[in-house]
Amino acid sequence: DTAVSQTPKYLVTQMGNDKSIKCEQNLGHDTMYWYKQDSKKFLKIMFSYNNKELIINETVPNRFSPKSPDKAHLNLHINSLELGDSAVYFCASSQEFTGELFFGEGSRLTVL
Amino acid sequence: AQTVTQSQPEMSVQEAETVTLSCTYDTSENNYYLFWYKQPPSRQMILVIRQEAYKQQNATENRFSVNFQKAAKSFSLKISDSQLGDTAMYFCASGGGADGLTFGKGTHLIIQP
C-alpha cells in the first residue's frame, strides 16, 4: 500500500491551461504539504495544511490554489500555467510533533 | 526563518570508502528536528536518518551516522563502506511541526565502482 500517493506522475500541457494534481495519504497524519522542486533540485515549501486548515502559504502566485476536502487529501490546482511552473511537485504528510515528512513520488509538470 | 546550507554541490568517492557530507543550519527554535533525505534518480525522497535536537547522542542507522554539533549548528552525515546504490542527491533539512521542513540545496553524491 502506497502511504502518500500523487496523481498524475507526469503532466505535459500548454501555457495558459489549468491543471490539478491530487494527493492522498493513508497514514492518518494531521498535516499535509506541497513542495516544489525546481530544475536545480531545490525543494521549497508552498503550502501546509493541518486538519484541513491552511497553515502556511508561502509566496506563490495566486494561480496556485490548494484544497483539502478532508485530512487525508490535499489537491493542488494551477490556473493559467506558465513556463516557469515547470517543476516536480511533491506532496508530503507528517504527524504533528515528529517532524518527519513522508513524501509522495512527485508529479513532474512540463509546460510547453 | 530557518536556513540550511550544504556547501558541497557534488562529491565523488570510490566504492567502499567513507564519505562525509556537510550541513549547517540556522534556527531560532528551541525544539526542532534534523534530517538527511536521499533522492536517487527515481526521484523518490527517502529518509536516511533523523536527529532530535534535544538529544545529545548522535543518531546512527547501519552505515549512516551523523555528527551533530548543536552549538555550532552543524549536522554532517557520514556514510561508511559506501555502495553503488548510495549514488543520489542528499538533502539536509531542519524544522518540524506544521511549518514543515526547510531543505538545503543538496549534495550530489557519486559512488564510483
Side-chain angles (χ1 to χ4, degrees):
Chain A
D1 280 349
T2 304
V4 182
S5 58
Q6 297 179 225
T7 53
K9 302 286 188 294
Y10 297 92
L11 196 50
V12 180
T13 188
Q14 300 287 331
M15 275 177 57
N17 285 349
D18 303 339
K19 290 294 176 187
S20 292
I21 306 172
K22 295 186 176 182
C23 178
E24 176 182 1
Q25 55 97 1
N26 62 7
L27 297 168
H29 287 168
D30 296 324
T31 310
M32 296 184 72
Y33 312 81
W34 280 109
Y35 277 81
K36 178 181 180 180
Q37 186 173 43
D38 63 22
S39 58
K40 295 183 178 178
K41 303 289 189 184
F42 183 54
L43 272 159
K44 185 171 167 54
I45 192 168
M46 300 173 69
F47 302 103
S48 160
Y49 268 78
N50 182 261
N51 283 317
K52 302 195 302 174
E53 287 192 26
L54 180 65
I55 303 298
I56 289 177
N57 182 355
E58 289 293 322
T59 309
V60 299
N62 291 338
R63 300 181 293 103
F64 289 80
S65 53
K67 281 199 170 49
S68 182
D70 56 57
K71 217 170 73 162
H73 296 84
L74 180 61
N75 304 322
L76 182 66
H77 187 76
I78 315 169
N79 290 325
S80 304
L81 279 157
E82 300 177 358
L83 293 177
D85 297 333
S86 294
V88 178
Y89 292 85
F90 281 97
C91 177
S93 71
S94 72
Q95 189 63 33
E96 198 171 357
F97 304 124
T98 67
E100 180 183 349
L101 295 185
F102 291 77
F103 284 88
E105 294 173 296
S107 298
R108 178 177 292 281
L109 171 65
T110 302
V111 182
L112 304 176
Chain B
Q2 302 199 26
T3 59
V4 178
T5 303
Q6 293 179 250
S7 57
Q8 304 148 314
E10 186 170 286
M11 296 185 73
S12 180
V13 298
Q14 296 293 122
E15 198 176 2
E17 288 183 347
T18 293
V19 60
T20 299
L21 308 184
S22 302
C23 174
T24 57
Y25 63 94
D26 193 15
T27 179
S28 56
E29 302 289 331
N30 289 323
N31 295 320
Y32 56 92
Y33 301 88
L34 296 162
F35 301 87
W36 280 97
Y37 279 86
K38 167 185 176 180
Q39 187 179 39
S42 66
R43 95 171 172 235
Q44 179 69 47
M45 293 290 289
I46 302 165
L47 177 68
V48 175
I49 202 164
R50 151 202 168 115
Q51 174 86 40
E52 288 94 341
Y54 63 86
K55 288 187 177 178
Q56 291 185 333
Q57 186 172 5
N58 289 326
T60 63
E61 197 72 43
N62 300 317
R63 297 183 295 108
F64 299 87
S65 61
V66 298
N67 183 1
F68 174 44
Q69 303 288 329
K70 190 171 183 179
K73 295 185 177 174
S74 169
F75 184 61
S76 60
L77 174 70
K78 185 170 89 170
I79 306 174
S80 303
D81 186 26
S82 56
Q83 300 174 359
L84 296 178
D86 295 333
T87 292
M89 283 290 290
Y90 286 81
F91 294 96
C92 179
S94 74
D99 290 344
L101 298 180
T102 299
F103 287 84
K105 292 189 175 182
T107 296
H108 184 206
L109 177 64
I110 301 167
I111 309 298
Q112 305 275 7

